[in-house]
Amino acid sequence: MAKKSKDKKNQKQEQAPLTEWQKRNLDFLKQREKEKKEQEKLKKELADKKRARLQANSTKREDGFEREKNSPKKKANSSKTISNKKGKSVKQPPVKPLPKKRKPKTKSTKFKRRMTSILLPAFLGILLAIYMLTPLSKIKQVTVDGANRTNSQSVLKASGLKDSDYTLATIFNRSKLAQSVSKNDVWVKSAQVDYRFPFTFTIKVKEYSIVAYAQTDQGYVPILESGTRLDSVEATDLPDKFTTINLKNGKYLSSLIKKLTKMDKALISEIKVITLADSKTTPDLLNLEMQDGNTVRVPLSQIDKKLPYYDKIKGSLKDNKIVDMEVGIFATSDNAQTSDNSSEVSSDQDSNPSGEENQDNNQNQDANQNQDSNQGQDQNQAEDANASQTENSDQTNDDQAPNQ
């Protein structure tokens, strides 16, 4: 009877409806069981893949080099298929090399590294000190390259380099040496100091070029691009063709040198003599006597702009012409210029006599005025004397009248 009552109670409980919480719990348990089953399947698949890899690697190692030569090479990243129990094929991912395990650093290796980091700099410092005490630290081999007008001795003097200087000091002070060379040597435009192991130094020099020569009483003085004047040069040292500048004004000379340095050297070589033209309208007008016999008149302020046109004109010029670039550009002959000058001189002479006559007339008028003034003064003095005499005579007459 007790068993029957229990069975009836269980049937009643089974037939009783489930609550929402119980339903959710049952669903959660079912999902958890499914996930466990899926994980077990994945673990089995991974195990099968590992077995297949091991089998494939073993077969490759067993195969000889002959089969590898005859069989076509497959790509390293090609995927391999393995059949599962169900018959499905699974692609195998590419094999990655396992990372190498680093050995842990022991205390002995750390100690060795610390000792080397301390001892090595100390050892190098000791070697450097010994080197600096020996005469090897002062050995230098210096050469000069590019010195044509100046010599190597003057370049070395300008650098200030001495035999007692250390080699390491010269290595680190190369820029200062180059600056001192370009500053102290007149001929040097720029300098560069190169070093080559172990103790070789090369001073590369760029020199100024001679723009023109100034004619003085002592001789011809060369003028450089920088505007500096050097000592006078003998006639034997002069080149076949050169430009002579005859300008006494320092401002005109410095500005002319600056403009000539910017112009073409071939054009400057065509100029023979540069002088200052006597012009009242343009005081900086220059006369340029060219090597081909022509003469160019150009203002100093426009020489760099107008003179290059001479190369285009000179081919059409015949005989000795005067190219006037003062206002525009036109060519005249020597005869026309001399006739113009003679007409100017004759007009000046014609105007001068009239001026002399006027001066003579003025002088005569001044003399006549002086004579008239002198005569007037004499007359006034005579009248004053006569007046004094009459007054004296009147006074004597008055004195005589009471006495009578």
Side-chain angles (χ1 to χ4, degrees):
M1 295 294 288
K3 290 182 180 178
K4 289 179 180 180
S5 63
K6 287 180 181 180
D7 293 331
K8 287 179 180 179
K9 288 180 180 179
N10 291 327
Q11 288 176 0
K12 287 179 181 180
Q13 288 177 357
E14 288 177 356
Q15 290 176 0
L18 297 173
T19 60
E20 291 181 0
W21 181 83
Q22 289 175 350
K23 289 178 182 180
R24 290 177 183 176
N25 191 10
L26 289 171
D27 294 332
F28 176 74
L29 292 171
K30 288 178 182 179
Q31 288 178 359
R32 197 170 180 182
E33 287 177 358
K34 286 180 181 180
E35 288 178 356
K36 285 181 180 179
K37 288 178 181 180
E38 288 177 358
Q39 287 179 0
E40 288 176 358
K41 287 179 181 180
L42 290 171
K43 285 180 180 179
K44 288 179 181 180
E45 288 177 0
L46 290 170
D48 294 335
K49 287 178 182 180
K50 286 181 180 179
R51 287 174 186 173
R53 281 183 203 167
L54 294 170
Q55 288 177 1
N57 290 326
S58 62
T59 52
K60 283 182 180 179
R61 287 176 183 175
E62 288 175 359
D63 292 338
F65 291 102
E66 293 179 358
R67 287 184 180 180
E68 290 179 357
K69 289 179 181 179
N70 295 324
S71 63
K73 293 182 180 180
K74 294 182 180 180
K75 293 182 181 179
N77 295 326
S78 63
S79 61
K80 297 178 181 179
T81 58
I82 301 167
S83 61
N84 288 334
K85 293 179 180 180
K86 295 180 179 180
K88 293 180 180 180
S89 62
V90 180
K91 290 184 179 179
Q92 185 180 1
V95 179
K96 293 182 180 179
L98 295 172
K100 294 181 179 179
K101 292 183 179 180
R102 294 182 180 178
K103 293 181 180 180
K105 294 179 180 178
T106 59
K107 292 183 179 180
S108 60
T109 55
K110 291 180 180 179
F111 179 73
K112 286 178 182 179
R113 287 184 179 179
R114 287 179 182 177
M115 291 299 291
T116 51
S117 63
I118 294 168
L119 293 174
L120 184 61
F123 181 69
L124 292 173
I126 292 165
L127 287 176
L128 182 62
I130 294 167
Y131 171 72
M132 296 297 286
L133 292 172
T134 58
L136 294 172
S137 61
K138 297 180 181 179
I139 294 173
K140 295 181 290 299
Q141 186 178 357
V142 183
T143 57
V144 179
D145 188 12
N148 296 321
R149 297 184 181 275
T150 185
N151 51 19
S152 59
Q153 293 179 356
S154 63
V155 172
L156 291 173
K157 285 182 181 179
S159 66
L161 189 63
K162 297 178 182 178
D163 295 334
S164 60
D165 294 337
Y166 291 102
T167 307
L168 291 174
T170 54
I171 290 169
F172 292 113
N173 294 327
R174 285 181 291 170
S175 61
K176 291 182 180 179
L177 292 173
Q179 288 177 1
S180 61
V181 169
S182 59
K183 184 178 179 181
N184 296 324
D185 197 336
V186 179
W187 283 99
V188 178
K189 186 176 183 180
S190 63
Q192 183 180 356
V193 181
D194 295 335
Y195 169 69
R196 191 174 61 188
F197 187 80
F199 45 77
T200 304
F201 295 91
T202 305
I203 301 174
K204 294 181 180 180
V205 170
K206 288 183 180 180
E207 295 179 341
Y208 285 110
S209 61
I210 297 172
V211 178
Y213 290 85
Q215 189 174 3
T216 60
D217 297 333
Q218 296 176 355
Y220 289 93
V221 176
I223 302 171
L224 302 179
E225 290 177 353
S226 59
T228 56
R229 292 189 178 190
L230 303 177
D231 296 332
S232 59
V233 179
E234 295 181 359
T236 55
D237 296 332
L238 291 171
D240 296 333
K241 290 182 179 181
F242 60 92
T243 304
T244 304
I245 299 174
N246 294 327
L247 294 177
K248 295 180 180 179
N249 193 344
K251 292 181 181 179
Y252 288 164
L253 181 61
S254 61
S255 62
L256 177 62
I257 295 299
K258 288 179 181 178
K259 288 183 180 294
L260 290 177
T261 52
K262 296 177 182 178
M263 295 170 62
D264 188 9
K265 292 183 179 180
L267 181 61
I268 296 167
S269 64
E270 295 180 5
I271 303 169
K272 189 175 182 181
V273 181
I274 300 173
T275 56
L276 187 66
D278 295 331
S279 178
K280 295 179 181 179
T281 56
T282 54
D284 64 340
L285 187 65
L286 299 176
N287 276 337
L288 308 180
E289 294 181 10
M290 310 304 285
Q291 297 286 349
D292 54 4
N294 296 321
T295 304
V296 179
R297 289 184 175 182
V298 61
L300 176 59
S301 59
Q302 298 177 352
I303 190 170
D304 55 344
K305 296 179 181 178
K306 290 188 174 182
L307 191 60
Y309 289 103
Y310 179 73
D311 288 333
K312 299 177 182 179
I313 297 169
K314 67 179 182 180
S316 60
L317 297 176
K318 294 180 180 179
D319 299 331
N320 296 330
K321 297 284 185 178
I322 297 172
V323 180
D324 196 343
M325 296 182 180
E326 184 177 1
V327 179
I329 299 171
F330 61 92
T332 60
S333 60
D334 292 335
N335 294 324
Q337 191 70 25
T338 52
S339 64
D340 293 335
N341 292 328
S342 62
S343 63
E344 289 178 359
V345 171
S346 62
S347 63
D348 292 335
Q349 288 178 357
D350 293 334
S351 62
N352 285 329
S354 61
E356 290 176 356
E357 288 177 358
N358 292 326
Q359 288 179 357
D360 294 334
N361 293 325
N362 292 327
Q363 289 177 359
N364 293 324
Q365 288 177 1
D366 293 334
N368 293 324
Q369 288 177 358
N370 291 325
Q371 288 178 0
D372 294 335
S373 62
N374 292 325
Q375 289 177 1
Q377 288 177 0
D378 293 336
Q379 289 177 0
N380 292 326
Q381 288 176 0
E383 289 177 354
D384 292 335
N386 292 324
S388 62
Q389 287 178 3
T390 53
E391 287 178 357
N392 291 325
S393 62
D394 292 335
Q395 287 178 0
T396 52
N397 292 324
D398 292 335
D399 293 335
Q400 287 177 2
N403 291 324
Q404 289 177 358

